[in-house]
Amino acid sequence: MDFASSAFWTSLLQIIWIDLLLSGDNAVVIALAVRSLPEKQRKVGIWLGAGAAVGLRIIFAVVVSYLLNIPFLKVVGALLLFWIAIKLAKGEEEAHGDIAASDSLWKAVRTIAIADAVMSLDNVLAIAAAARGHFELFVFGLLLTIPLIIFGARLLSSVLERFPILIWFGAALLGWIAGEMLLSDMAVMQWLQVNMPSWVQSVPVSDTNPAGLMPAKVPFYTAAVLGAAFVCIVAYALKRKPIDQAG
């Protein structure tokens, strides 16, 4: 590795920027999941959640090229993320105040782990692409996520406690990501290429994109907006249901 080369510093800056952008998603999930825990357990949940996020990224780093080629993987991931986002927005954990604290902590960590497993795949791919095959930069990118996620989650959990309305924005963000994942699944893009060719565009073929396809911009962002709206509408309807039944 030539530390004096412009390519090294370009890749390094790209990885830092990617981490700053993508670690926010994981921080949002952690902050939403631990917001109802006592202060001491909230800190433990944040550390465990950040550890799960980084651990999953390391695992995916080994098998990322194989996982991305599995048809409908992102479809399943998107559906899981929709479920998590709706559950977090609905605030289901708040309706069970009689649950033991330890159970609530591990429930939060479980929610974080599932969401991180879904989102870490794309995060690892972005860091791997920026590293351009340099293992040192790739490891640096993974390690950098630890303080970013922990700091971001602690800050966000405090903000969410003061401004609960922001919980809906966090859930909408997860729905946005799920909508993007749903449309960018390999099997979905191949189906669109045959049936709705204007919805996809060609890109250079690579190990992580053997089909050389990606969603067109308008359908891609439309799916993201619809995903965010879907989460908010369903969560709001489920949240109102007990009130309507009681009335």
Side-chain angles (χ1 to χ4, degrees):
M1 172 68 69
D2 184 4
F3 293 98
S5 69
S6 60
F8 168 80
W9 291 106
T10 299
S11 295
L12 181 63
L13 291 173
Q14 286 177 343
I15 288 173
I16 293 173
W17 180 243
I18 288 169
D19 275 332
L20 288 171
L21 291 175
L22 299 182
S23 297
D25 298 340
N26 301 84
V28 168
V29 171
I30 295 172
L32 288 172
V34 304
R35 71 183 190 275
S36 298
L37 296 177
E39 180 63 27
K40 290 184 179 179
Q41 290 199 334
R42 188 182 303 172
K43 292 180 180 178
V44 175
I46 288 172
W47 278 96
L48 290 175
V54 176
L56 288 166
R57 291 186 190 195
I58 293 172
I59 293 172
F60 287 149
V62 180
V63 293
V64 64
S65 60
Y66 300 99
L67 288 175
L68 287 172
N69 294 330
I70 300 176
F72 301 110
L73 174 69
K74 287 190 175 182
V75 172
V76 175
L79 295 177
L80 276 172
L81 203 53
F82 277 131
W83 172 70
I84 290 170
I86 291 169
K87 183 179 178 182
L88 292 174
K90 180 174 174 284
E92 182 175 315
E93 72 279 5
E94 295 177 3
H96 300 283
D98 55 335
I99 297 177
S102 58
D103 293 338
S104 298
L105 172 63
W106 292 112
K107 184 183 291 184
V109 173
R110 183 187 63 191
T111 299
I112 293 166
I114 295 173
D116 282 338
V118 173
M119 295 189 298
S120 292
L121 191 59
D122 283 346
N123 294 6
V124 167
L125 176 60
I127 295 173
R132 294 177 175 83
H134 297 295
F135 182 73
E136 300 89 344
L137 284 175
F138 183 74
V139 172
F140 171 79
L142 292 176
L143 294 177
L144 182 61
T145 60
I146 298 175
L148 291 175
I149 292 175
I150 292 174
F151 175 78
R154 293 188 67 174
L155 177 63
L156 283 171
S157 63
S158 300
V159 172
L160 290 175
E161 189 175 14
R162 293 186 60 188
F163 306 102
I165 187 63
L166 295 179
I167 293 168
W168 290 92
F169 287 97
L173 173 62
L174 299 185
W176 178 287
I177 297 169
E180 291 179 342
M181 290 183 64
L182 191 63
L183 199 66
S184 60
D185 181 85
M186 191 65 63
V188 172
M189 286 190 293
Q190 289 174 339
W191 183 89
L192 290 173
Q193 185 184 33
V194 174
N195 297 278
M196 306 176 73
S198 63
W199 283 39
V200 296
Q201 58 186 8
S202 298
V203 295
V205 175
S206 64
D207 292 338
T208 55
N209 191 350
L213 297 172
M214 67 178 295
K217 287 186 178 180
V218 173
F220 183 71
Y221 288 116
T222 300
V225 170
L226 291 176
F230 173 76
V231 166
C232 292
I233 291 170
V234 173
Y236 181 75
L238 292 174
K239 200 175 183 71
R240 282 186 57 86
K241 191 174 181 180
I243 299 176
D244 294 339
Q245 288 177 345

